Amino acid sequence: MNYQYALEYIHGTYKFGSKLGLENITDLLKLMENPQKNLKVIHVAGTNGKGSTCNFIHSILKEAGYKVGLYTSPYLEEFTERIQINGINIPKKELGDITSFVKEKVDIMVREGKNHPTEFEIVTAIAFEYFKRESVDFLVLEVGMGGRFDATNVVNSLVSVITSIDYDHMDYLGDTLDKIAYEKAGIIKENSIAVIYPQAVEAMKVIEEVCKKRNTKLIKAPIENIKIINQTEEGQSFEVVINDEIQNIFISMLGDHQIKNSTLALSVIKVLEDEYHISISKKALNEGFRKAIWPGRFEVIRKNPTFVIDGAHNVAGMNALKEGIEKFFKDKNIILGIGILADKDEKMLDIIIPLANKVVITKPNNPRALEVEKLGKKIEKYKKEIWIKENIKDAVDTSLSIANERDVIVFAGSLYMIGEVRSILKIKG
């Protein structure tokens, strides 16, 4: 199976929907002789910050000399981004070969009268098989949705990590923080270790109860011990006290939330050192943090005018984006490019639209995208200058045409949109 046919097959399974549950993925992996069984996994769930936290951990372990798999979703520009080893995407030939192998097993399941696996289940199976074949030392594994019934939750992890929890995917995960936290905490294993971003009281209570029930050691990231030293558009330096030791850290990612995400990642690294005796030098730690870059997360991709893309797509994400704009671009005219999915909380518009002087409305390339006319109606009440451009390239061109060199253009609202924005701007140079 060549790469293009593999993508057509994978994306063609979108019609089987999104089903939470482990029966399908368990049956599929069993036919594949359980490639996930002997992988050393750092498993990461949460609402916001999963990708960034995964990237910090992956970067540090890579700098320490290990062969490290990374599985994330969604992708920004190219599908192969989702499956990486040491920062290198899965080769297209390998993707084609493994997809063909997985398809054979899916066909067996269907012939046996079992449900057809979903797209996410198939991609997860492909990833596990690739990481097994490549004999990675570690796999940093991002949950797709929730945790308890997510297809990734078939692993026995070294560490279970939970990032910031907020309201998202409420039709699947529940409409209260404690319900959502219970789903996220589903990745926590018996007699293991969980590293947790400090949560709201109702969410933290649920996680603590799950850890106690499963006899799991609970470690909270010490974000209250952070002292910010310097913040510029080039990066951020801070110190944090962890295990009674002061750590001085520099990260290239921007925003207070990334300082907190990196502190969570640091807590995970300390667990790997202290509990599993994994060797990570001070140099590897510092270089890993410095080199960690997560595209599409408050990413400045050009200057004159400054152009920022951010994957914020829920209330918490928009609050983080707002903080970043107010910190780094205070007193600048903001031109906002926005497109969202139809099932997203409209409260995020209340957070971000007031910051903008002008708004360019567009539509993410996703079947769940909100039509531009409908989004336009929702934004009218803010009394901003509005341009409606359904095509994302037209939206980018419009934003550049109405900006001067001192303005800041920010595109946000959906990861399915900003990946295309990033590609367009790379072509423009």
Side-chain angles (χ1 to χ4, degrees):
M1 188 183 291
N2 66 31
Y3 174 66
Q4 195 56 46
Y5 186 73
L7 286 188
E8 288 172 6
Y9 170 71
I10 291 167
H11 295 322
T13 59
Y14 180 83
K15 62 189 176 187
F16 295 105
S18 178
K19 303 183 186 76
L20 293 177
L22 302 180
E23 184 177 354
N24 267 13
I25 187 69
T26 300
D27 289 342
L28 176 56
L29 293 173
K30 186 175 180 181
L31 288 170
M32 295 167 57
E33 299 185 358
N34 289 311
Q36 81 285 2
K37 280 293 185 185
N38 295 313
L39 297 173
K40 294 179 180 177
V41 176
I42 297 98
H43 200 188
V44 183
T47 306
N48 294 294
K50 296 193 301 292
S52 299
T53 302
C54 285
N55 193 261
F56 282 126
I57 297 167
H58 166 264
S59 182
I60 292 165
L61 291 174
K62 171 179 173 284
E63 290 299 315
Y66 297 105
K67 188 174 185 179
V68 192
L70 176 66
Y71 179 60
T72 58
S73 60
Y75 64 93
L76 282 186
E77 297 176 80
E78 191 166 33
F79 179 85
T80 52
E81 296 168 22
R82 295 183 62 179
I83 304 169
Q84 303 180 22
I85 294 176
N86 283 11
I88 299 173
N89 298 351
I90 181 173
K92 292 179 179 179
K93 184 181 183 304
E94 290 292 324
L95 181 70
D97 291 345
I98 295 174
T99 302
S100 182
F101 169 72
V102 172
K103 182 180 182 299
E104 291 173 5
K105 309 307 178 187
V106 170
D107 290 344
I108 292 171
M109 288 178 63
V110 173
R111 286 200 300 271
E112 291 176 351
K114 295 176 180 174
N115 291 327
H116 195 293
T118 65
E119 180 178 357
F120 186 74
E121 289 167 337
I122 289 170
V123 178
T124 301
I126 291 168
F128 285 148
E129 181 66 21
Y130 177 60
F131 295 133
K132 185 198 82 170
R133 292 185 185 186
E134 290 296 316
S135 302
V136 296
D137 296 315
F138 299 99
L139 167 57
V140 185
L141 181 67
E142 181 187 356
V143 166
M145 185 193 301
R148 185 165 64 110
F149 290 132
D150 186 77
T152 62
N153 201 26
V154 289
V155 297
N156 289 313
S157 52
L158 296 177
V159 188
S160 301
V161 186
I162 300 179
T163 67
S164 174
I165 294 174
D166 211 308
Y167 295 97
D168 204 8
H169 301 299
M170 290 182 285
D171 48 341
Y172 288 98
L173 306 179
D175 57 1
T176 62
L177 276 186
D178 56 340
K179 289 178 182 176
I180 295 171
Y182 181 73
E183 296 301 324
K184 308 289 185 185
I187 70 166
I188 297 171
K189 304 299 186 289
E190 297 277 351
N191 304 307
S192 63
I193 302 169
V195 180
I196 310 298
Y197 184 104
Q199 309 289 344
V201 173
E202 58 266 47
M204 201 70 230
K205 182 180 178 182
V206 169
I207 293 169
E208 288 170 346
E209 288 173 353
V210 170
C211 286
K212 184 176 181 181
K213 185 177 180 180
R214 296 179 185 171
N215 194 35
T216 291
K217 184 176 182 179
L218 172 61
I219 296 171
K220 298 178 186 177
I223 64 173
E224 72 281 359
N225 295 338
I226 292 170
K227 179 182 178 183
I228 296 174
I229 306 299
N230 191 36
Q231 293 176 294
T232 72
E233 290 182 40
E234 308 305 318
Q236 309 180 99
S237 58
F238 65 98
E239 65 180 32
V240 60
V241 178
I242 183 167
N243 297 347
D244 297 323
E245 181 183 355
I246 297 175
Q247 297 284 340
N248 291 290
I249 306 294
F250 175 86
I251 59 173
S252 300
M253 296 191 213
L254 301 182
D256 290 359
H257 59 295
Q258 296 295 14
I259 291 177
K260 294 172 183 177
N261 290 335
S262 61
T263 299
L264 177 63
L266 176 62
S267 299
V268 174
I269 294 299
K270 290 301 177 184
V271 165
L272 295 178
E273 289 182 308
D274 298 342
E275 302 288 341
Y276 295 103
H277 310 294
I278 292 164
S279 178
I280 300 165
S281 69
K282 184 73 174 176
K283 180 181 178 182
L285 184 74
N286 290 335
E287 285 297 290
F289 274 127
R290 183 180 66 82
K291 292 180 179 178
I293 297 172
W294 198 227
R297 281 68 174 184
F298 208 83
E299 181 185 10
V300 178
I301 49 180
R302 67 181 291 174
K303 298 287 185 71
N304 303 319
T306 298
F307 202 123
V308 178
I309 56 174
D310 191 276
H313 57 275
N314 55 35
V315 169
M318 283 299 180
N319 274 320
L321 175 57
K322 177 184 177 183
E323 288 177 9
I325 291 171
E326 291 176 338
K327 182 180 294 290
F328 295 102
F329 306 119
K330 187 178 180 181
D331 301 325
K332 295 281 188 177
N333 288 327
I334 305 298
I335 297 169
L336 177 68
I338 189 163
I340 65 175
L341 301 187
D343 58 356
K344 292 301 178 179
D345 189 341
E346 294 175 17
K347 290 178 183 176
M348 64 183 184
L349 299 177
D350 293 331
I351 296 165
I352 201 67
I353 302 297
L355 299 181
N357 301 87
K358 302 173 182 178
V359 180
V360 181
I361 296 168
T362 190
K363 181 181 177 182
N365 287 323
N366 185 283
R368 291 162 34 224
L370 183 65
E371 297 297 330
V372 288
E373 293 81 8
K374 291 182 179 178
L375 182 53
K377 289 290 184 185
K378 296 178 186 296
I379 293 177
E380 279 180 359
K381 67 180 181 180
Y382 299 97
K383 308 297 183 185
K384 304 290 182 179
E385 288 187 73
I386 294 174
W387 286 258
I388 294 181
K389 301 291 178 181
E390 182 165 332
N391 180 276
I392 294 174
K393 183 178 184 302
D394 291 342
V396 172
D397 289 341
T398 298
S399 69
L400 290 168
S401 71
I402 62 177
N404 65 46
E405 289 191 352
R406 297 180 302 280
D407 291 340
V408 177
I409 301 169
V410 180
F411 268 67
S414 172
L415 284 165
Y416 297 100
M417 176 189 68
I418 63 166
E420 187 167 341
V421 174
R422 195 171 194 271
S423 297
I424 291 164
L425 288 168
K426 282 169 66 177
I427 292 170
K428 284 179 175 292

